[in-house]
Amino acid sequence: MTQPIKVMFFCLGNICRSPLAEGLFLYHLEERGLADRFHVESSGTSAYHVGEAPDPGSQAVIRQQLGVDISHQRSQQLTKSHVREFDYLVAMDHSNRQNAERLGDADILLLRDFEPEPSHRDTGVPDPWGGGGSQFQNVYEIVYRCTESFLDHVLEQEE
Ligand code: 4NP
């Protein structure tokens, strides 16, 4: 059996943005019948929220939009072994990427470099922590389209 393609999405706390990225990337995989080819996780560069479930705002937006439940996810901290072992490491913003670069010399991707609209690239996914429903909705929309076009990119790479 071929090894699954290992994808790690990460942010600062692993309770708002990267849990949505994990849930939405898995959603796109399932839509395309590709889930068994991948191993997907998310993490945070900090240990602030280790062991916690995703923020209620993140849980609510993906449940309302797609009926997807991410309440089983638990925050974990990004480690040197993750950086060594995962095939794709995807940061939510520049600061997350800089923090991860201290853990190893892997190539770290920025999620918004996969924005379909070029003028939106080279920027971060805004942090919705402590914000209201409209902030989580905005993050959901960004992460939905960027995880979908990131999947297209991975499939081209893996062909
Ligand atoms: P996340 O959001 O990085 O998208 O999970 C945050 C969560 C917690 C904190 C900051 C951002 N915090 O400072 O605790």
Side-chain angles (χ1 to χ4, degrees), residues 11-19 48-49 127-129:
C11 54
L12 175 61
N14 191 210
I15 54 169
C16 299
R17 293 166 292 177
S18 58
Y48 302 154
H49 297 276
D127 182 354
W129 190 53

Side-chain angles (χ1 to χ4, degrees), residues 70-154:
I70 59 166
S71 64
H72 59 279
Q73 291 187 26
R74 292 294 176 268
S75 174
Q76 63 174 342
Q77 187 171 20
L78 182 70
T79 64
K80 288 181 178 173
S81 347
H82 291 137
V83 171
R84 205 169 39 240
E85 288 163 18
F86 276 69
D87 301 302
Y88 295 89
L89 294 143
V90 188
M92 297 300 116
D93 66 28
H94 288 91
S95 143
N96 308 148
R97 178 160 70 180
Q98 275 173 359
N99 288 331
E101 279 166 354
R102 300 197 190 110
L103 299 175
D105 63 1
D107 191 16
I108 313 271
L109 306 171
L110 198 59
L111 184 65
R112 292 197 80 180
D113 280 346
F114 300 95
E115 279 277 7
E117 166 58 46
S119 66
H120 289 157
R121 293 181 193 152
D122 194 30
T123 179
V125 178
D127 182 354
W129 190 53
S134 64
Q135 272 108 314
F136 283 91
Q137 178 68 31
N138 181 42
V139 168
Y140 168 87
E141 285 167 16
I142 293 167
V143 173
Y144 183 99
R145 62 180 185 254
C146 292
T147 49
E148 186 167 37
S149 84
F150 169 64
L151 174 56
D152 293 335
H153 165 82
V154 173

